[in-house]
Amino acid sequence: MDLSLNPSQAQTQTDDSLIVESSTARFQADVLEASLSRPILVDFWAPWCGPCKQLTPALEKVVTALKGKVGLVKINVDENQALAGQMGVQSIPAVFGFVGGRPVDGFMGALPESEVARFANKLIEMASRAGIGGPSEAESQVAAAMEAAQAALEAEDYERAYQIFATVLRHAPDNVDAVVGVATVQFKTGDSDGARETLSMLPEGESHAGADALIKAIALDEEAAKLGDAAELERRIEANPADHQARFDLAMIRNARGDRLGAAQALIAIMERDRDWQEDGARKKLLEFFEAWGAKDPATLKGRRMLSSLLFR
């Protein structure tokens, strides 16, 4: 099974229609008609306006994050004074929300990003009640495909999971969950290097819980691979229950082999005997395991209960 993923397989797609510079002549198409299919934010601004320069990045970030659920149309008031007058713009920045071909709400001044997001989501809710917007057919297909891929991954049908994740990426190359899905399949099938290469496709500086957990799991697996034979470590522990290093190494190997609860139990056993060993190293490693396993994993849940019981005796 070839699980290599060439980034060139994911064709670049951009949606320039999310944010457009418009004018009086194009207002009908860019705003009135466009708002029949999704909410449109109309930003009246000017190059000399200081608050406009503060608001514009927040508007663009919110619209981009909503991935097509709302559009942004920017109108330069210096070049479109008549339109600004018709809209009753008396100071800038002024933002109007259009739904169904008409203005339904608005605000003036440079609001913080959180308030802009709240305003945009309010428009989306209004549009939804009016039967406007919602996921496109393509978005619905991608969502269904991701559900199928995740189900295949959980069933350890790695070849099918990979095929679906890779197909999603060919149609939606910015789908971070699909990138992480491909990398997870690669890791599960023993290709840690391939998984790292795939994860390098993710945008720099953008945190993703699944990617962070996978990176941690890869590091733990590589660390465990250097620790030797589990049977020999068990013999050492039987001969000397205070051999904390052997117990720690055994926990690493158990985790790499998928025995998560056994790994947690080994680390808890160290803490029961010596909390200060290696500067609380057993507890720190256990917390790393929890992060790599995920908050909802049964081993994480039971391990946290065991840890709490130990710490609060």
Side-chain angles (χ1 to χ4, degrees), residues 44 51 55 88-96 105-111 119:
F44 286 90
L55 178 63
V89 175
Q90 297 180 346
S91 65
I92 56 174
V95 176
F96 295 86
D105 205 348
F107 65 85
M108 291 186 294
L111 296 184
F119 180 80

Side-chain angles (χ1 to χ4, degrees), residues 88-307:
V89 175
Q90 297 180 346
S91 65
I92 56 174
V95 176
F96 295 86
F98 278 74
V99 173
R102 62 187 181 88
V104 295
D105 205 348
F107 65 85
M108 291 186 294
L111 296 184
E113 182 183 325
S114 60
E115 292 297 320
V116 173
R118 188 173 293 112
F119 180 80
N121 281 303
K122 179 181 176 183
L123 292 181
I124 293 170
E125 291 176 6
M126 294 173 66
S128 178
R129 289 195 294 270
I132 297 171
S136 66
E137 182 178 353
E139 290 172 333
S140 297
Q141 291 175 346
V142 167
M146 288 297 294
E147 287 184 11
Q150 192 61 40
L153 184 60
E154 293 173 359
E156 299 185 0
D157 187 351
Y158 296 129
E159 185 164 3
R160 175 171 169 74
Y162 172 80
Q163 290 172 347
I164 300 174
F165 283 133
T167 298
V168 169
L169 283 176
R170 283 193 286 272
H171 293 279
D174 60 345
N175 190 307
V176 174
D177 291 332
V179 173
V180 175
V182 168
T184 300
V185 172
Q186 291 172 312
F187 172 63
K188 294 287 189 181
T189 54
D191 185 9
S192 294
D193 290 339
R196 287 186 183 278
E197 183 178 353
T198 297
L199 289 173
S200 70
M201 296 169 56
L202 296 174
E204 292 186 11
E206 182 174 316
S207 179
H208 183 281
D212 294 343
L214 182 56
I215 290 170
K216 182 72 68 176
I218 293 171
L220 290 172
D221 185 67
E222 292 175 345
E223 188 176 348
K226 304 173 184 177
L227 298 177
D229 180 57
E232 174 58 28
L233 293 171
E234 289 172 350
R235 284 192 290 270
R236 284 173 53 185
I237 295 168
E238 185 176 355
N240 178 16
D243 189 343
H244 301 323
Q245 186 62 57
R247 203 180 295 273
F248 184 89
D249 293 348
L250 181 61
M252 296 292 295
I253 292 174
R254 285 177 175 174
N255 176 63
R257 292 179 176 177
D259 181 9
R260 294 177 174 179
L261 184 57
Q265 290 170 334
L267 293 174
I268 292 290
I270 295 174
M271 285 184 275
E272 288 176 333
R273 290 169 171 80
D274 186 354
R275 276 291 308 278
D276 297 327
W277 180 78
Q278 294 290 349
E279 298 181 351
D280 204 14
R283 185 185 64 85
K284 293 176 182 177
K285 183 59 66 176
L286 184 58
L287 295 180
E288 285 186 29
F289 283 170
F290 293 160
E291 183 179 352
W293 299 342
K296 297 182 179 179
D297 187 276
T300 298
L301 297 174
K302 187 164 185 178
R304 287 195 180 280
R305 288 196 296 270
M306 294 165 58
L307 180 59

Side-chain angles (χ1 to χ4, degrees), residues 30-53:
D30 289 346
V31 178
L32 302 183
E33 294 177 6
S35 69
L36 297 175
S37 58
R38 68 180 174 194
I40 299 294
L41 296 173
V42 182
D43 175 27
F44 286 90
W45 69 286
W48 45 264
C49 170
C52 298
K53 295 177 182 178

